[in-house]
Amino acid sequence: MALYNARKSHADRDGNPQPLSAARLGELVGTTKAQILAYEHGHRTPDPARIRLLAERLSIRPIDLMKRDNWQTWNVADWRRASGRTAQELCAELGISPKSYRRLEQQGIVPARRPRFLDDVVQALGIWHSILDSAMDNIPAVAVRRQETEAIIERLATTYVRRPGHWKGPSPDDPGVQRLSQLYGRPVQRIRRILTRVLGELRLTAARRERERVIADFDPEPSRQLKAEKAAERWEGLYHAELARIPGLLEGFHRSAQPSDTWQVLVALHEVEPRAGASWVPAPLVARPETLQQLPPSMAVRRTFGDLQALHLTPTGVRHVTSYQEFYAALYPGVRRPRQRTPRRGESNSLSPALFGLSITQERFTVPPQILERLVLRSSGTGPWDLWLSPTIRLTISASSGRPTVTAHDDRYPGDQPWPPPLDPVTMALRQRGTQTEGPTGATI
């Protein structure tokens, strides 16, 4: 029906109605009238190349030729065909092997070393991230994997969470761990470290529940017994809610997991503002150029102001940081975790972000708290310090009043020195002002 309507409503280049007969359309795409009618009546399905050619001849998008009544049930293969692309063409555009692409379409498994892979697929297919996510959920193998994962996690929790003694987590030889490794196409030790972390958190919840139950059963004071009984019920509900979340988190994490350096950038942006798009963070303060190239656009927006690149989190980036920080803590135990933006009692105000503006825009910019902290700790002073963010933008930072202040200047980096400088901006700032104590140099933020 979609093809019939497009054929009958066809117009010429000037917008004048020019309906096409089935025979004429068949001539334009190199097939017969009978074949066109078979497409229109649903007796035959054109291949992606023919869909693309029909769309070109009718001056519409390939997806406009698809029956979209049930588009919510489409999987990745359906959306690929709706874009008029063959699997071979998509492999070439994405730069992956046919085997890797088959794993995506048939099992919903993405390549492990491609942090921007889902963004590349979205761009190639011309769809939204939410649609791709739903399409992956609609793959039959993903639904089966989700059900099997739920059963495995339930058994692992029953086996290990209540086990007395020092917490070690599940054994790498456990059949459940081995099976999850097969299901997600990731190493056994990676799966085990994640499970040790999340089941360990579940164990703490179970311990709090059992403590309240003991009070409810044996405390001599009835009021404390009643209070403990209600608390035990709350911890019981929380335990089952956390347990039920684990399979979904495993699925989502293995679709979008980032390497440690990219994760650190997301953490730094989240520390500045734990919400999307509040302010911009100068890119040189949080990432190397090569890390910026790996950063998924769906998680962090990049924008150039003059000659300065800046970043902020997207709503997807915020959700990623808040949802998977325990997973990253398991995989990268030495990497910094997100911390509260508002200082707790006893914390220094230097941990608060410092805001500044630029003369070329009305947007708001922020120096992340860990940058300010490094300046203060490594210099043993209160500033001021100069940071060159670009060849024409210099920041002056001072902490003499107890709360860091930042001022931006339109300036010109000394012409006799190369740009970009060989050191990170913080080390460069310390050297420029000639502060007393410098600490280790050459470290990368």
Side-chain angles (χ1 to χ4, degrees):
M1 183 61 69
L3 178 58
Y4 174 82
N5 292 335
R7 177 167 64 82
K8 289 299 184 180
S9 60
H10 178 259
D12 61 20
R13 294 182 178 179
D14 297 327
N16 300 314
Q18 190 181 58
L20 296 175
S21 66
R24 177 54 181 160
L25 182 58
E27 292 176 4
L28 292 175
V29 298
T31 189
T32 64
K33 172 184 176 180
Q35 190 78 292
I36 295 297
L37 293 176
Y39 293 156
E40 291 182 356
H41 291 93
H43 302 314
R44 299 286 299 273
T45 300
D47 58 35
R50 179 62 55 80
I51 291 174
R52 188 167 65 244
L53 186 57
L54 285 167
E56 289 175 358
R57 295 294 182 262
L58 294 169
S59 302
I60 59 177
R61 302 172 302 169
I63 194 173
D64 293 329
L65 293 173
M66 307 296 290
K67 182 180 180 181
R68 290 178 283 177
D69 296 343
N70 62 340
W71 67 269
Q72 295 93 339
T73 66
W74 287 5
N75 57 32
V76 177
D78 294 325
W79 282 103
R80 172 180 58 77
R81 287 190 286 268
S83 71
R85 315 289 285 281
T86 65
Q88 185 176 5
E89 290 170 339
L90 211 53
C91 285
E93 184 169 346
L94 296 173
I96 61 174
S97 67
K99 179 180 179 181
S100 294
Y101 186 76
R102 281 195 301 272
R103 294 183 80 191
L104 171 68
E105 274 202 3
Q106 298 174 8
Q107 303 175 50
I109 295 177
V110 304
R113 303 183 189 279
R114 289 281 298 271
R116 290 178 51 135
F117 182 74
L118 292 183
D119 291 74
D120 294 338
V121 174
V122 164
Q123 183 176 5
L125 296 180
I127 59 179
W128 297 100
H129 267 273
S130 58
I131 290 179
L132 177 59
D133 200 48
S134 297
M136 295 178 71
D137 288 338
N138 290 333
I139 298 172
V142 172
V144 172
R145 179 170 65 227
R146 181 72 173 266
Q147 292 177 353
E148 188 172 355
T149 298
E150 289 175 357
I152 292 173
I153 295 300
E154 183 74 33
R155 186 189 65 78
L156 290 173
T158 302
T159 303
Y160 293 100
V161 169
R162 294 181 174 86
R163 179 175 291 181
H166 181 68
W167 174 245
K168 295 181 180 179
S171 166
D173 298 326
D174 188 289
V177 177
Q178 299 277 344
R179 180 56 179 156
L180 289 175
S181 174
Q182 296 172 0
L183 289 173
Y184 291 102
R186 298 296 186 263
V188 170
Q189 286 297 338
R190 176 187 177 94
I191 298 295
R192 179 189 175 274
R193 291 174 70 177
I194 291 174
L195 291 177
T196 298
R197 183 81 184 191
V198 296
L199 293 179
E201 293 295 320
L202 202 62
R203 181 180 169 94
L204 294 176
T205 302
R208 295 185 179 102
R209 177 190 59 189
E210 293 304 318
R211 181 180 60 193
E212 296 297 339
R213 281 182 175 173
V214 170
I215 297 173
D217 291 340
F218 299 105
D219 195 284
E221 177 59 47
S223 62
R224 286 198 295 265
Q225 282 186 323
L226 180 60
K227 182 178 179 181
E229 185 176 344
K230 292 181 179 179
E233 291 176 357
R234 288 195 300 271
W235 285 114
E236 179 77 17
L238 182 59
Y239 175 90
H240 289 290
E242 291 179 351
L243 182 64
R245 289 181 65 235
I246 294 175
L249 290 174
L250 280 172
E251 186 70 39
F253 180 72
H254 286 105
R255 292 181 188 179
S256 57
Q258 299 296 305
S260 59
D261 52 350
T262 309
W263 168 243
Q264 282 289 260
V265 176
L266 297 177
V267 170
L269 297 178
H270 188 269
E271 286 182 353
V272 169
E273 288 282 2
R275 55 195 176 96
S279 60
W280 296 90
V281 177
L285 296 181
V286 293
R288 298 186 181 97
E290 56 269 26
T291 303
L292 290 178
Q293 296 304 316
Q294 295 184 6
L295 196 63
S298 59
M299 296 187 189
V301 176
R302 276 198 292 171
R303 184 174 165 187
T304 301
F305 300 90
D307 56 5
L308 173 66
Q309 275 201 338
L311 312 164
H312 67 61
L313 287 181
T314 65
T316 299
V318 173
R319 287 193 299 270
H320 188 85
V321 174
T322 55
S323 298
Y324 303 123
Q325 55 181 296
E326 294 299 332
F327 285 45
Y328 285 107
L331 296 179
Y332 313 128
V335 172
R336 190 178 71 254
R337 297 185 62 187
R339 58 184 174 184
Q340 298 291 330
R341 181 190 176 205
T342 304
R344 298 187 183 95
R345 178 178 295 181
E347 282 187 331
S348 169
N349 285 333
S350 63
L351 298 180
S352 301
L355 302 177
F356 67 95
L358 297 177
S359 61
I360 57 176
T361 179
Q362 297 297 316
E363 297 284 353
R364 186 176 64 173
F365 296 81
T366 305
V367 178
Q370 73 271 19
I371 303 301
L372 301 172
E373 184 178 21
R374 286 181 61 188
L375 282 171
V376 174
L377 292 178
R378 291 173 61 181
S379 66
S380 298
T382 58
W385 308 280
D386 283 343
L387 269 73
W388 284 92
L389 299 181
S390 76
T392 62
I393 299 175
R394 174 175 58 87
L395 294 185
T396 298
I397 301 177
S398 174
S400 57
S401 62
R403 185 177 182 85
T405 58
V406 179
T407 306
H409 307 277
D410 296 329
D411 211 337
R412 178 65 60 180
Y413 191 70
D416 58 342
Q417 300 182 32
W419 183 270
L423 302 176
D424 68 82
V426 174
T427 300
M428 184 171 60
L430 294 173
R431 287 193 167 182
Q432 277 194 330
R433 283 289 186 173
T435 49
Q436 297 175 354
T437 306
E438 195 167 301
T441 60
T444 301
I445 298 169

